[in-house]
Tab-separated table of all heavy atoms in Angstrom:
chain	number	residue	atom	x	y	z
Q	1	MET	N	0.804	-1.208	0.006
Q	1	MET	CA	0.019	-0.009	0.023
Q	1	MET	C	0.858	1.296	0.018
Q	1	MET	O	1.742	1.389	0.778
Q	1	MET	CB	-0.909	0.038	1.229
Q	1	MET	CG	-2.039	-0.979	1.173
Q	1	MET	SD	-3.397	-0.450	2.083
Q	1	MET	CE	-4.642	-1.620	1.635
Q	2	GLY	N	0.506	2.240	-0.839
Q	2	GLY	CA	1.265	3.495	-0.840
Q	2	GLY	C	0.609	4.543	-0.024
Q	2	GLY	O	0.922	5.727	-0.258
Q	3	LYS	N	-0.121	4.217	0.924
Q	3	LYS	CA	-0.875	5.223	1.657
Q	3	LYS	C	-0.043	5.918	2.720
Q	3	LYS	O	-0.326	6.990	3.127
Q	3	LYS	CB	-2.098	4.556	2.355
Q	3	LYS	CG	-3.335	4.530	1.457
Q	3	LYS	CD	-4.541	4.303	2.295
Q	3	LYS	CE	-5.852	4.522	1.535
Q	3	LYS	NZ	-7.069	4.380	2.379
Q	4	CYS	N	0.999	5.222	3.184
Q	4	CYS	CA	1.736	5.759	4.288
Q	4	CYS	C	2.273	7.206	4.066
Q	4	CYS	O	2.291	7.980	4.926
Q	4	CYS	CB	2.925	4.838	4.603
Q	4	CYS	SG	2.425	3.232	5.227
Q	5	LYS	N	2.630	7.449	2.837
Q	5	LYS	CA	3.130	8.768	2.488
Q	5	LYS	C	2.065	9.839	2.753
Q	5	LYS	O	2.246	10.903	3.389
Q	5	LYS	CB	3.461	8.832	1.010
Q	5	LYS	CG	4.720	9.642	0.683
Q	5	LYS	CD	5.069	9.494	-0.781
Q	5	LYS	CE	6.340	10.210	-1.142
Q	5	LYS	NZ	6.678	10.016	-2.548
Q	6	ASN	N	0.834	9.542	2.382
Q	6	ASN	CA	-0.293	10.401	2.648
Q	6	ASN	C	-0.592	10.551	4.127
Q	6	ASN	O	-0.829	11.655	4.613
Q	6	ASN	CB	-1.544	9.911	1.933
Q	6	ASN	CG	-1.618	10.353	0.474
Q	6	ASN	OD1	-1.109	11.425	0.146
Q	6	ASN	ND2	-2.342	9.593	-0.321
Q	7	ILE	N	-0.578	9.411	4.776
Q	7	ILE	CA	-0.955	9.441	6.185
Q	7	ILE	C	0.066	10.244	7.039
Q	7	ILE	O	-0.332	11.008	7.809
Q	7	ILE	CB	-1.098	7.976	6.706
Q	7	ILE	CG1	-2.163	7.232	5.909
Q	7	ILE	CG2	-1.372	7.986	8.222
Q	7	ILE	CD1	-3.553	7.890	6.041
Q	8	THR	N	1.302	9.995	6.824
Q	8	THR	CA	2.278	10.700	7.606
Q	8	THR	C	2.258	12.188	7.280
Q	8	THR	O	2.423	13.023	8.201
Q	8	THR	CB	3.723	10.162	7.306
Q	8	THR	OG1	3.959	10.208	5.921
Q	8	THR	CG2	3.910	8.742	7.825
Q	9	ARG	N	1.976	12.495	6.047
Q	9	ARG	CA	1.842	13.906	5.708
Q	9	ARG	C	0.598	14.552	6.484
Q	9	ARG	O	0.709	15.677	6.955
Q	9	ARG	CB	1.640	14.084	4.212
Q	9	ARG	CG	1.588	15.489	3.783
Q	9	ARG	CD	1.709	15.625	2.311
Q	9	ARG	NE	1.778	17.052	1.929
Q	9	ARG	CZ	2.103	17.476	0.698
Q	9	ARG	NH1	2.346	16.595	-0.256
Q	9	ARG	NH2	2.200	18.748	0.435
Q	10	LEU	N	-0.523	13.844	6.446
Q	10	LEU	CA	-1.637	14.293	7.189
Q	10	LEU	C	-1.401	14.435	8.699
Q	10	LEU	O	-1.816	15.415	9.299
Q	10	LEU	CB	-2.824	13.377	6.972
Q	10	LEU	CG	-3.411	13.403	5.552
Q	10	LEU	CD1	-4.603	12.354	5.477
Q	10	LEU	CD2	-3.996	14.769	5.212
Q	11	LEU	N	-0.645	13.496	9.219
Q	11	LEU	CA	-0.306	13.591	10.648
Q	11	LEU	C	0.456	14.841	10.985
Q	11	LEU	O	0.175	15.453	11.997
Q	11	LEU	CB	0.447	12.342	11.074
Q	11	LEU	CG	-0.413	11.053	11.188
Q	11	LEU	CD1	0.473	9.857	11.410
Q	11	LEU	CD2	-1.452	11.126	12.254
Q	12	SER	N	1.371	15.179	10.135
Q	12	SER	CA	2.199	16.366	10.430
Q	12	SER	C	1.374	17.625	10.132
Q	12	SER	O	1.519	18.643	10.822
Q	12	SER	CB	3.489	16.341	9.669
Q	12	SER	OG	3.298	16.495	8.310
Q	13	ASP	N	0.505	17.553	9.100
Q	13	ASP	CA	-0.317	18.721	8.820
Q	13	ASP	C	-1.285	18.997	9.963
Q	13	ASP	O	-1.599	20.138	10.272
Q	13	ASP	CB	-1.157	18.398	7.585
Q	13	ASP	CG	-0.382	18.700	6.289
Q	13	ASP	OD1	0.743	19.097	6.386
Q	13	ASP	OD2	-0.923	18.445	5.231
Q	14	ALA	N	-1.693	17.912	10.656
Q	14	ALA	CA	-2.643	18.107	11.772
Q	14	ALA	C	-2.134	18.968	12.883
Q	14	ALA	O	-2.857	19.490	13.691
Q	14	ALA	CB	-3.040	16.668	12.258
Q	15	LEU	N	-0.769	19.063	12.994
Q	15	LEU	CA	-0.195	19.878	14.015
Q	15	LEU	C	-0.341	21.385	13.653
Q	15	LEU	O	-0.297	22.213	14.568
Q	15	LEU	CB	1.296	19.556	14.171
Q	15	LEU	CG	1.560	18.093	14.590
Q	15	LEU	CD1	3.086	17.866	14.670
Q	15	LEU	CD2	0.906	17.751	15.888
Q	16	ASP	N	-0.524	21.638	12.402
Q	16	ASP	CA	-0.525	23.046	11.936
Q	16	ASP	C	-1.854	23.591	11.609
Q	16	ASP	O	-2.142	24.778	11.707
Q	16	ASP	CB	0.405	23.208	10.720
Q	16	ASP	CG	1.865	22.880	11.024
Q	16	ASP	OD1	2.280	23.189	12.138
Q	16	ASP	OD2	2.499	22.361	10.117
Q	17	ARG	N	-2.740	22.658	11.180
Q	17	ARG	CA	-4.082	23.134	10.750
Q	17	ARG	C	-5.110	22.001	10.939
Q	17	ARG	O	-4.705	20.834	10.989
Q	17	ARG	CB	-4.010	23.572	9.301
Q	17	ARG	CG	-3.624	22.405	8.394
Q	17	ARG	CD	-3.507	22.806	6.960
Q	17	ARG	NE	-2.853	21.756	6.177
Q	17	ARG	CZ	-2.526	21.924	4.928
Q	17	ARG	NH1	-2.703	23.032	4.333
Q	17	ARG	NH2	-1.951	20.953	4.249
Q	18	PRO	N	-6.311	22.355	11.099
Q	18	PRO	CA	-7.380	21.353	11.238
Q	18	PRO	C	-7.510	20.469	10.002
Q	18	PRO	O	-7.503	21.059	8.850
Q	18	PRO	CB	-8.667	22.106	11.525
Q	18	PRO	CG	-8.443	23.511	11.122
Q	18	PRO	CD	-6.913	23.732	11.172
Q	19	LEU	N	-7.666	19.162	10.165
Q	19	LEU	CA	-7.944	18.344	9.063
Q	19	LEU	C	-9.432	18.136	8.753
Q	19	LEU	O	-10.310	18.453	9.628
Q	19	LEU	CB	-7.373	16.928	9.319
Q	19	LEU	CG	-5.862	16.869	9.625
Q	19	LEU	CD1	-5.448	15.405	9.843
Q	19	LEU	CD2	-5.093	17.493	8.488
Q	20	THR	N	-9.747	17.781	7.541
Q	20	THR	CA	-11.146	17.547	7.232
Q	20	THR	C	-11.556	16.191	7.816
Q	20	THR	O	-10.716	15.358	8.182
Q	20	THR	CB	-11.310	17.458	5.702
Q	20	THR	OG1	-10.652	16.312	5.184
Q	20	THR	CG2	-10.805	18.696	5.026
Q	21	ILE	N	-12.866	15.964	7.856
Q	21	ILE	CA	-13.341	14.743	8.448
Q	21	ILE	C	-12.827	13.545	7.555
Q	21	ILE	O	-12.405	12.498	8.078
Q	21	ILE	CB	-14.885	14.715	8.450
Q	21	ILE	CG1	-15.368	15.743	9.511
Q	21	ILE	CG2	-15.437	13.331	8.715
Q	21	ILE	CD1	-16.856	15.830	9.614
Q	22	GLY	N	-12.823	13.750	6.261
Q	22	GLY	CA	-12.306	12.670	5.407
Q	22	GLY	C	-10.899	12.370	5.687
Q	22	GLY	O	-10.488	11.201	5.559
Q	23	GLU	N	-10.106	13.364	5.976
Q	23	GLU	CA	-8.691	13.106	6.222
Q	23	GLU	C	-8.508	12.351	7.581
Q	23	GLU	O	-7.717	11.416	7.679
Q	23	GLU	CB	-7.934	14.433	6.294
Q	23	GLU	CG	-7.751	15.051	4.913
Q	23	GLU	CD	-7.234	16.431	4.980
Q	23	GLU	OE1	-7.429	17.177	6.008
Q	23	GLU	OE2	-6.633	16.897	3.922
Q	24	TRP	N	-9.330	12.745	8.591
Q	24	TRP	CA	-9.263	11.999	9.833
Q	24	TRP	C	-9.683	10.565	9.670
Q	24	TRP	O	-9.056	9.682	10.282
Q	24	TRP	CB	-10.144	12.686	10.900
Q	24	TRP	CG	-9.519	13.857	11.535
Q	24	TRP	CD1	-9.990	15.147	11.515
Q	24	TRP	CD2	-8.253	13.896	12.325
Q	24	TRP	NE1	-9.119	15.942	12.287
Q	24	TRP	CE2	-8.076	15.239	12.762
Q	24	TRP	CE3	-7.418	12.924	12.707
Q	24	TRP	CZ2	-6.961	15.627	13.495
Q	24	TRP	CZ3	-6.269	13.336	13.459
Q	24	TRP	CH2	-6.128	14.660	13.872
Q	25	VAL	N	-10.691	10.380	8.883
Q	25	VAL	CA	-11.141	9.030	8.672
Q	25	VAL	C	-10.084	8.139	8.026
Q	25	VAL	O	-9.823	7.022	8.481
Q	25	VAL	CB	-12.422	8.976	7.750
Q	25	VAL	CG1	-12.691	7.582	7.243
Q	25	VAL	CG2	-13.598	9.554	8.519
Q	26	ALA	N	-9.396	8.744	7.026
Q	26	ALA	CA	-8.323	7.995	6.390
Q	26	ALA	C	-7.234	7.644	7.420
Q	26	ALA	O	-6.712	6.541	7.401
Q	26	ALA	CB	-7.694	8.872	5.304
Q	27	ILE	N	-6.902	8.554	8.297
Q	27	ILE	CA	-5.876	8.245	9.361
Q	27	ILE	C	-6.350	7.203	10.252
Q	27	ILE	O	-5.661	6.234	10.587
Q	27	ILE	CB	-5.585	9.598	10.153
Q	27	ILE	CG1	-4.824	10.575	9.250
Q	27	ILE	CG2	-4.789	9.264	11.401
Q	27	ILE	CD1	-4.665	11.913	9.929
Q	28	ARG	N	-7.620	7.346	10.712
Q	28	ARG	CA	-8.131	6.396	11.741
Q	28	ARG	C	-8.343	4.977	11.132
Q	28	ARG	O	-8.297	4.044	11.863
Q	28	ARG	CB	-9.442	6.913	12.290
Q	28	ARG	CG	-9.226	8.165	13.082
Q	28	ARG	CD	-10.384	8.458	13.950
Q	28	ARG	NE	-10.612	7.462	14.981
Q	28	ARG	CZ	-11.213	7.568	16.114
Q	28	ARG	NH1	-11.809	8.772	16.352
Q	28	ARG	NH2	-11.402	6.639	16.970
Q	29	LEU	N	-8.533	4.904	9.873
Q	29	LEU	CA	-8.648	3.619	9.216
Q	29	LEU	C	-7.285	2.973	9.010
Q	29	LEU	O	-7.113	1.789	9.051
Q	29	LEU	CB	-9.399	3.706	7.894
Q	29	LEU	CG	-10.878	3.986	7.943
Q	29	LEU	CD1	-11.447	4.119	6.520
Q	29	LEU	CD2	-11.585	2.834	8.722
Q	30	HIS	N	-6.293	3.852	8.847
Q	30	HIS	CA	-4.977	3.356	8.451
Q	30	HIS	C	-4.110	2.987	9.683
Q	30	HIS	O	-3.433	1.993	9.663
Q	30	HIS	CB	-4.288	4.455	7.619
Q	30	HIS	CG	-2.924	3.992	7.146
Q	30	HIS	ND1	-2.661	3.127	6.101
Q	30	HIS	CD2	-1.665	4.245	7.655
Q	30	HIS	CE1	-1.404	2.902	5.962
Q	30	HIS	NE2	-0.728	3.591	6.917
Q	31	LEU	N	-4.231	3.820	10.745
Q	31	LEU	CA	-3.276	3.605	11.900
Q	31	LEU	C	-3.331	2.245	12.473
Q	31	LEU	O	-2.330	1.666	12.795
Q	31	LEU	CB	-3.536	4.674	12.944
Q	31	LEU	CG	-2.978	6.068	12.613
Q	31	LEU	CD1	-3.188	6.965	13.815
Q	31	LEU	CD2	-1.529	6.009	12.309
Q	32	PRO	N	-4.595	1.659	12.730
Q	32	PRO	CA	-4.606	0.344	13.279
Q	32	PRO	C	-3.929	-0.743	12.510
Q	32	PRO	O	-3.558	-1.781	12.959
Q	32	PRO	CB	-6.113	0.088	13.447
Q	32	PRO	CG	-6.750	1.433	13.389
Q	32	PRO	CD	-5.905	2.248	12.483
Q	33	THR	N	-3.755	-0.514	11.206
Q	33	THR	CA	-3.165	-1.476	10.313
Q	33	THR	C	-1.702	-1.280	10.070
Q	33	THR	O	-1.098	-2.071	9.370
Q	33	THR	CB	-3.915	-1.511	8.979
Q	33	THR	OG1	-3.545	-0.308	8.242
Q	33	THR	CG2	-5.431	-1.580	9.146
Q	34	CYS	N	-1.150	-0.216	10.595
Q	34	CYS	CA	0.191	0.172	10.197
Q	34	CYS	C	0.992	0.682	11.427
Q	34	CYS	O	0.813	1.788	11.855
Q	34	CYS	CB	0.165	1.204	9.122
Q	34	CYS	SG	1.755	1.690	8.561
Q	35	SER	N	1.875	-0.173	11.934
Q	35	SER	CA	2.729	0.286	13.098
Q	35	SER	C	3.678	1.353	12.725
Q	35	SER	O	4.038	2.168	13.574
Q	35	SER	CB	3.390	-1.002	13.666
Q	35	SER	OG	4.330	-1.479	12.707
Q	36	GLY	N	4.056	1.417	11.518
Q	36	GLY	CA	5.012	2.471	11.067
Q	36	GLY	C	4.434	3.817	11.224
Q	36	GLY	O	5.068	4.733	11.723
Q	37	CYS	N	3.166	4.014	10.816
Q	37	CYS	CA	2.518	5.294	10.905
Q	37	CYS	C	2.151	5.586	12.316
Q	37	CYS	O	2.177	6.794	12.777
Q	37	CYS	CB	1.322	5.323	10.030
Q	37	CYS	SG	1.689	5.455	8.242
Q	38	ARG	N	1.856	4.557	13.126
Q	38	ARG	CA	1.623	4.776	14.530
Q	38	ARG	C	2.850	5.295	15.263
Q	38	ARG	O	2.814	6.192	16.054
Q	38	ARG	CB	1.138	3.487	15.200
Q	38	ARG	CG	-0.343	3.290	14.875
Q	38	ARG	CD	-0.726	1.806	15.067
Q	38	ARG	NE	-0.523	1.387	16.452
Q	38	ARG	CZ	-0.690	0.131	16.829
Q	38	ARG	NH1	-1.046	-0.775	15.928
Q	38	ARG	NH2	-0.583	-0.236	18.029
Q	39	ASN	N	3.998	4.720	14.910
Q	39	ASN	CA	5.265	5.182	15.474
Q	39	ASN	C	5.555	6.672	15.054
Q	39	ASN	O	5.979	7.475	15.846
Q	39	ASN	CB	6.449	4.307	15.047
Q	39	ASN	CG	6.497	3.022	15.804
Q	39	ASN	OD1	5.958	2.950	16.935
Q	39	ASN	ND2	7.014	2.020	15.230
Q	40	TYR	N	5.221	6.986	13.797
Q	40	TYR	CA	5.438	8.263	13.304
Q	40	TYR	C	4.610	9.280	14.079
Q	40	TYR	O	5.051	10.363	14.496
Q	40	TYR	CB	5.079	8.329	11.838
Q	40	TYR	CG	5.258	9.715	11.213
Q	40	TYR	CD1	6.525	10.143	10.838
Q	40	TYR	CD2	4.173	10.596	11.067
Q	40	TYR	CE1	6.633	11.414	10.274
Q	40	TYR	CE2	4.346	11.856	10.568
Q	40	TYR	CZ	5.612	12.276	10.161
Q	40	TYR	OH	5.751	13.555	9.646
Q	41	ARG	N	3.338	8.919	14.380
Q	41	ARG	CA	2.493	9.791	15.123
Q	41	ARG	C	3.022	10.033	16.540
Q	41	ARG	O	3.036	11.106	17.071
Q	41	ARG	CB	1.069	9.223	15.208
Q	41	ARG	CG	0.097	10.177	15.891
Q	41	ARG	CD	-1.271	9.607	15.960
Q	41	ARG	NE	-1.339	8.422	16.827
Q	41	ARG	CZ	-2.448	7.870	17.369
Q	41	ARG	NH1	-3.578	8.478	16.978
Q	41	ARG	NH2	-2.448	6.830	18.110
Q	42	LYS	N	3.583	8.983	17.146
Q	42	LYS	CA	4.166	9.125	18.447
Q	42	LYS	C	5.323	10.105	18.417
Q	42	LYS	O	5.492	10.940	19.266
Q	42	LYS	CB	4.700	7.751	18.949
Q	42	LYS	CG	3.672	6.981	19.725
Q	42	LYS	CD	4.337	5.735	20.308
Q	42	LYS	CE	3.355	4.739	20.954
Q	42	LYS	NZ	4.015	3.555	21.383
Q	43	GLN	N	6.126	9.972	17.416
Q	43	GLN	CA	7.300	10.789	17.295
Q	43	GLN	C	6.978	12.276	17.117
Q	43	GLN	O	7.547	13.151	17.774
Q	43	GLN	CB	8.204	10.328	16.152
Q	43	GLN	CG	8.939	9.030	16.448
Q	43	GLN	CD	9.837	8.641	15.314
Q	43	GLN	OE1	9.943	9.260	14.313
Q	43	GLN	NE2	10.451	7.438	15.424
Q	44	ILE	N	6.073	12.577	16.255
Q	44	ILE	CA	5.698	13.988	15.975
Q	44	ILE	C	5.039	14.552	17.224
Q	44	ILE	O	5.087	15.745	17.482
Q	44	ILE	CB	4.911	14.203	14.697
Q	44	ILE	CG1	3.556	13.528	14.819
Q	44	ILE	CG2	5.711	13.778	13.521
Q	44	ILE	CD1	2.696	13.869	13.609
Q	45	ARG	N	4.294	13.705	18.005
Q	45	ARG	CA	3.700	14.235	19.259
Q	45	ARG	C	4.774	14.611	20.208
Q	45	ARG	O	4.680	15.588	20.883
Q	45	ARG	CB	2.831	13.120	19.840
Q	45	ARG	CG	1.386	13.071	19.308
Q	45	ARG	CD	0.591	12.080	20.049
Q	45	ARG	NE	-0.790	12.135	19.689
Q	45	ARG	CZ	-1.760	11.304	20.201
Q	45	ARG	NH1	-1.381	10.397	21.043
Q	45	ARG	NH2	-2.947	11.434	19.836
Q	46	LEU	N	5.807	13.798	20.306
Q	46	LEU	CA	6.938	14.121	21.261
Q	46	LEU	C	7.635	15.392	20.757
Q	46	LEU	O	7.948	16.243	21.562
Q	46	LEU	CB	7.924	12.953	21.249
Q	46	LEU	CG	7.473	11.729	22.029
Q	46	LEU	CD1	8.516	10.636	21.944
Q	46	LEU	CD2	7.211	12.057	23.449
Q	47	LEU	N	7.812	15.537	19.466
Q	47	LEU	CA	8.429	16.768	18.941
Q	47	LEU	C	7.600	17.923	19.235
Q	47	LEU	O	8.114	19.029	19.582
Q	47	LEU	CB	8.576	16.603	17.404
Q	47	LEU	CG	9.705	15.685	16.919
Q	47	LEU	CD1	9.731	15.613	15.433
Q	47	LEU	CD2	11.053	16.113	17.471
Q	48	ARG	N	6.282	17.803	19.177
Q	48	ARG	CA	5.395	18.887	19.455
Q	48	ARG	C	5.526	19.359	20.908
Q	48	ARG	O	5.599	20.531	21.235
Q	48	ARG	CB	3.944	18.491	19.114
Q	48	ARG	CG	2.951	19.620	19.270
Q	48	ARG	CD	1.548	19.094	19.224
Q	48	ARG	NE	0.614	20.115	18.966
Q	48	ARG	CZ	-0.718	19.929	19.003
Q	48	ARG	NH1	-1.185	18.718	19.198
Q	48	ARG	NH2	-1.504	20.921	18.733
Q	49	VAL	N	5.538	18.351	21.779
Q	49	VAL	CA	5.638	18.694	23.251
Q	49	VAL	C	6.996	19.353	23.500
Q	49	VAL	O	7.066	20.353	24.236
Q	49	VAL	CB	5.579	17.361	24.079
Q	49	VAL	CG1	5.962	17.667	25.552
Q	49	VAL	CG2	4.152	16.817	23.967
Q	50	ALA	N	8.039	18.819	22.887
Q	50	ALA	CA	9.360	19.431	23.072
Q	50	ALA	C	9.406	20.845	22.560
Q	50	ALA	O	9.948	21.746	23.198
Q	50	ALA	CB	10.423	18.589	22.347
Q	51	ALA	N	8.746	21.034	21.376
Q	51	ALA	CA	8.728	22.439	20.872
Q	51	ALA	C	7.994	23.418	21.760
Q	51	ALA	O	8.395	24.499	21.931
Q	51	ALA	CB	8.101	22.420	19.453
Q	52	ARG	N	6.930	22.937	22.364
Q	52	ARG	CA	6.162	23.802	23.278
Q	52	ARG	C	6.917	24.088	24.483
Q	52	ARG	O	6.884	25.173	25.004
Q	52	ARG	CB	4.852	23.137	23.654
Q	52	ARG	CG	3.865	23.076	22.487
Q	52	ARG	CD	2.541	22.426	22.881
Q	52	ARG	NE	1.799	23.346	23.800
Q	52	ARG	CZ	0.623	23.102	24.260
Q	52	ARG	NH1	-0.011	22.018	23.928
Q	52	ARG	NH2	-0.017	23.971	25.066
Q	53	THR	N	7.666	23.120	24.949
Q	53	THR	CA	8.511	23.263	26.159
Q	53	THR	C	9.588	24.363	25.869
Q	53	THR	O	9.794	25.299	26.676
Q	53	THR	CB	9.163	21.977	26.582
Q	53	THR	OG1	8.182	21.018	26.804
Q	53	THR	CG2	10.014	22.186	27.828
Q	54	VAL	N	10.233	24.213	24.734
Q	54	VAL	CA	11.268	25.172	24.370
Q	54	VAL	C	10.705	26.582	24.269
Q	54	VAL	O	11.283	27.522	24.812
Q	54	VAL	CB	11.939	24.727	23.047
Q	54	VAL	CG1	12.830	25.854	22.543
Q	54	VAL	CG2	12.767	23.492	23.273
Q	55	SER	N	9.544	26.741	23.588
Q	55	SER	CA	9.007	28.044	23.425
Q	55	SER	C	8.523	28.574	24.727
Q	55	SER	O	8.494	29.785	25.005
Q	55	SER	CB	7.847	27.998	22.403
Q	55	SER	OG	6.665	27.414	23.009
Q	56	GLY	N	8.056	27.712	25.697
Q	56	GLY	CA	7.716	28.144	26.994
Q	56	GLY	C	8.826	28.729	27.757
Q	56	GLY	O	8.761	29.688	28.484
Q	57	ILE	N	10.009	28.130	27.572
Q	57	ILE	CA	11.248	28.644	28.269
Q	57	ILE	C	11.695	29.910	27.590
Q	57	ILE	O	12.084	30.843	28.303
Q	57	ILE	CB	12.368	27.525	28.179
Q	57	ILE	CG1	12.004	26.332	28.996
Q	57	ILE	CG2	13.723	28.082	28.622
Q	57	ILE	CD1	12.889	25.148	28.779
Q	58	ALA	N	11.602	29.999	26.268
Q	58	ALA	CA	12.110	31.179	25.576
Q	58	ALA	C	11.159	32.296	25.654
Q	58	ALA	O	11.550	33.516	25.483
Q	58	ALA	CB	12.379	30.815	24.114
Q	59	SER	N	9.884	32.095	25.984
Q	59	SER	CA	8.848	33.090	25.943
Q	59	SER	C	9.059	34.246	26.901
Q	59	SER	O	8.943	35.406	26.466
Q	59	SER	CB	7.478	32.430	26.263
Q	59	SER	OG	6.532	33.400	26.460
Q	60	PRO	N	9.419	34.102	28.183
Q	60	PRO	CA	9.510	35.203	29.102
Q	60	PRO	C	10.558	36.235	28.643
Q	60	PRO	O	10.375	37.414	28.930
Q	60	PRO	CB	9.994	34.546	30.390
Q	60	PRO	CG	9.566	33.166	30.301
Q	60	PRO	CD	9.661	32.808	28.823
Q	61	GLU	N	11.591	35.781	28.021
Q	61	GLU	CA	12.588	36.712	27.512
Q	61	GLU	C	12.034	37.724	26.485
Q	61	GLU	O	12.277	38.932	26.621
Q	61	GLU	CB	13.718	35.946	26.830
Q	61	GLU	CG	14.970	36.707	26.513
Q	61	GLU	CD	16.021	35.884	25.891
Q	61	GLU	OE1	15.791	34.708	25.739
Q	61	GLU	OE2	17.092	36.459	25.579
Q	62	ALA	N	11.233	37.227	25.601
Q	62	ALA	CA	10.605	38.132	24.584
Q	62	ALA	C	9.406	38.823	25.144
Q	62	ALA	O	9.036	39.904	24.642
Q	62	ALA	CB	10.259	37.332	23.336
Q	63	ASP	N	8.806	38.241	26.181
Q	63	ASP	CA	7.550	38.780	26.669
Q	63	ASP	C	7.684	39.908	27.728
Q	63	ASP	O	6.890	40.745	27.836
Q	63	ASP	CB	6.758	37.595	27.278
Q	63	ASP	CG	5.266	37.710	27.037
Q	63	ASP	OD1	4.921	38.640	26.245
Q	63	ASP	OD2	4.506	36.881	27.495
Q	64	GLY	N	8.724	39.821	28.522
Q	64	GLY	CA	8.773	40.603	29.726
Q	64	GLY	C	9.378	42.041	29.449
Q	64	GLY	O	9.359	42.842	30.332
Q	65	SER	N	9.831	42.348	28.222
Q	65	SER	CA	10.496	43.527	27.969
Q	65	SER	C	9.510	44.749	27.770
Q	65	SER	O	9.944	45.857	27.803
Q	65	SER	CB	11.440	43.434	26.834
Q	65	SER	OG	10.702	43.051	25.706
Q	66	ASP	N	8.297	44.398	27.542
Q	66	ASP	CA	7.330	45.421	27.152
Q	66	ASP	C	6.874	46.251	28.360
Q	66	ASP	O	6.730	47.478	28.285
Q	66	ASP	CB	6.163	44.746	26.462
Q	66	ASP	CG	5.249	45.785	25.722
Q	66	ASP	OD1	5.760	46.864	25.345
Q	66	ASP	OD2	4.090	45.548	25.578
Q	67	ASP	N	6.615	45.543	29.433
Q	67	ASP	CA	6.046	46.164	30.665
Q	67	ASP	C	7.105	46.756	31.507
Q	67	ASP	O	7.054	47.848	32.029
Q	67	ASP	CB	5.252	45.191	31.446
Q	67	ASP	CG	3.977	45.767	31.978
Q	67	ASP	OD1	3.734	46.986	31.775
Q	67	ASP	OD2	3.159	45.001	32.562
A	101	ZN	ZN1	1.269	3.487	7.196
């Protein structure tokens, strides 16, 4: 199946913008059948958490200078 390319792309798109119902359905139908894409989803979730943590640390520096 050549779907993995689409699915992984949708998974990363989902971090930036809302997906359509059809796109979510495609993901939800595919993930249970594909451990590779499930691992990919885990990884980008971790990256997202890490990115938020970094921006949370960097934020006060840019935020506090105004007041
Ligand atoms: Zn897959």
